[in-house]
């Protein structure tokens, strides 16, 4: 009977360790996704600034012609 109880305890501990391993891997994956999203938003923000400056240049050029 003791062997069965010991086997159940060891199996439970192994399942907990495996679950923690999977959780750590998932957390790393989510962290990488977050980093990629931040990089993409930075690129988008810089492109938006470029577009806005071009728009201002065009508006100034239009005002000069009038």
């Amino acid at each position: 009977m003791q062997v069965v109880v010991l086997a159940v305890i060891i199996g439970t501990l192994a399942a907990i360790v495996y679950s923690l391993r999977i959780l750590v891997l998932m957390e790393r994956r989510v962290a990488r996704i977050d980093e990629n999203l931040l990089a993409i938003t930075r690129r988008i923000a810089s492109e938006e600034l470029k577009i806005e400056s071009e728009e201002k240049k065009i508006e100034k050029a239009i005002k000069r012609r009038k």
Side-chain angles (χ1 to χ4, degrees):
M1 188 67 179
Q2 289 177 348
V3 175
V4 174
V5 172
L6 187 60
V8 169
I9 291 172
I10 291 173
T12 303
L13 289 175
I16 291 170
V17 169
Y18 181 75
S19 297
L20 288 174
R21 180 177 175 267
I22 296 299
L23 284 173
V24 168
L25 292 175
M26 291 300 292
E27 194 275 331
R28 287 180 186 166
R29 193 175 288 178
V30 169
R32 264 189 267 131
I33 291 171
D34 285 344
E35 289 175 8
N36 288 335
L37 285 174
L38 285 173
I40 290 169
T41 53
R42 284 189 198 115
R43 281 189 224 135
I44 291 172
S46 68
E47 288 296 320
E48 285 288 328
L49 291 174
K50 289 177 187 176
I51 291 169
E52 287 177 1
S53 67
E54 284 296 318
E55 286 177 347
K56 287 179 184 177
K57 288 179 187 177
I58 292 170
E59 287 175 358
K60 285 181 183 178
I62 291 173
K63 286 181 182 178
R64 289 181 190 161
R65 288 185 182 176
K66 290 182 179 182

